[in-house]
Amino acid sequence: MRGHMIAATAALALSACATSSEPAASGDMADPLEGFNRTMFDVNNALDAAILKPAADGYRAVTNKPVRGGVSNFLSNLGQPVVLINTVLQGKPGPAFDTASRFMLNTTVGVLGVFDPATGIGVPKHSEDFGQTLAVWGVPSGPYIVIPGLGPSTLRDSVGSGVDGFVDPLNYGQGDTYVASRAVVGVTGVVSLRERLDPAIEALNAQPEPYVALRRNYAQQREAAIRDGKFEDDPFKDL
């Protein structure tokens, strides 16, 4: 779930609107909340150093690459129903068929997605979310936002994430056991993602201005994703 600190940061966000009103550079995006966003960027870096980085290092220490790959495949497969919904909403029958085929094949033959036979037989993998769907429908991105605990986004993508969570059929299970299982999957997903992103995060932090580098990268990669996942060659693209 997205964390919000509205009461504590409202004044900072309002003042930031007045401190950064320049138009976005080429390949960048508007950042009228830059003062607030930089503060949240620092908060997220502190949380990463204190919690996520040690957890990711521990995860890497007690698992091997095949196990981590299986976990990543399983988590990716869980997200395919939302990808399917968005390919349909974007009017893309080919990617919708690919996604449905991947999900059925990997869930059955791939043992709940732990293995990825769909890729082995050449079924393309697509990544669509409701933020991209809104963009395809012509909704502007709105301002850049750094969300506490989650990282870079825009107003459009923040709304899109909320809708994705609402339509995700996996969020409607019942019972304490199911809720606990979803919590375990969620935590595992965060740790697994952080472990995979470790080289990209180190490269990002080595930049002269990591905040600006991440903002520009986010703008470029979201724009590329809207163009059907045609990502540019960028070491930070997964961020």
Side-chain angles (χ1 to χ4, degrees), residues 67-83:
V67 169
R68 294 194 296 273
V71 170
S72 179
N73 290 340
F74 171 77
L75 295 168
S76 176
N77 193 59
L78 290 179
Q80 292 305 291
V82 172
V83 175

Side-chain angles (χ1 to χ4, degrees), residues 165-181:
F166 180 76
V167 302
D168 188 346
L170 295 178
N171 287 334
Y172 291 92
Q174 301 294 323
D176 293 341
T177 300
Y178 183 86
V179 172
S181 298

Side-chain angles (χ1 to χ4, degrees), residues 184-230:
V184 170
V185 169
V187 171
T188 303
V190 171
V191 175
S192 173
L193 178 62
R194 179 59 181 82
E195 190 277 332
R196 296 199 310 275
L197 291 179
D198 195 53
I201 291 174
E202 289 186 1
L204 175 69
N205 290 333
Q207 298 299 302
E209 178 53 277
Y211 173 83
V212 174
L214 181 59
R215 184 186 65 203
R216 288 178 177 171
N217 174 261
Y218 183 81
Q220 292 165 2
Q221 296 308 318
R222 286 302 288 173
E223 193 63 32
I226 292 165
R227 298 193 303 268
D228 295 328
K230 297 175 183 177

Side-chain angles (χ1 to χ4, degrees), residues 39-220:
T39 298
M40 293 303 102
F41 179 80
D42 291 339
V43 168
N44 287 343
N45 276 349
L47 290 173
D48 179 73
I51 301 173
L52 295 182
K53 170 67 171 169
D57 290 344
Y59 174 63
R60 186 184 301 113
V62 299
T63 58
N64 58 26
K65 191 171 182 179
V67 169
R68 294 194 296 273
V71 170
S72 179
N73 290 340
F74 171 77
L75 295 168
S76 176
N77 193 59
L78 290 179
Q80 292 305 291
V82 172
V83 175
L84 175 60
I85 291 169
N86 281 292
T87 55
V88 172
L89 291 175
Q90 293 174 33
K92 299 176 179 178
F97 179 78
D98 292 338
T99 302
S101 300
R102 286 186 63 86
F103 182 67
M104 289 187 292
L105 183 60
N106 287 350
T107 300
T108 54
V109 179
V111 191
L112 300 180
V114 173
F115 303 100
D116 186 11
T119 295
I121 63 172
V123 181
K125 183 178 181 179
H126 303 277
S127 180
E128 305 287 352
D129 55 59
F130 197 70
Q132 292 168 242
T133 299
L134 290 173
V136 170
W137 291 352
V139 177
S141 68
Y144 179 69
I145 306 169
V146 178
I147 300 176
L150 292 171
S153 186
T154 62
L155 180 59
R156 180 182 65 200
D157 289 343
S158 297
V159 172
S161 294
V163 173
D164 285 337
F166 180 76
V167 302
D168 188 346
L170 295 178
N171 287 334
Y172 291 92
Q174 301 294 323
D176 293 341
T177 300
Y178 183 86
V179 172
S181 298
R182 286 292 288 163
V184 170
V185 169
V187 171
T188 303
V190 171
V191 175
S192 173
L193 178 62
R194 179 59 181 82
E195 190 277 332
R196 296 199 310 275
L197 291 179
D198 195 53
I201 291 174
E202 289 186 1
L204 175 69
N205 290 333
Q207 298 299 302
E209 178 53 277
Y211 173 83
V212 174
L214 181 59
R215 184 186 65 203
R216 288 178 177 171
N217 174 261
Y218 183 81
Q220 292 165 2

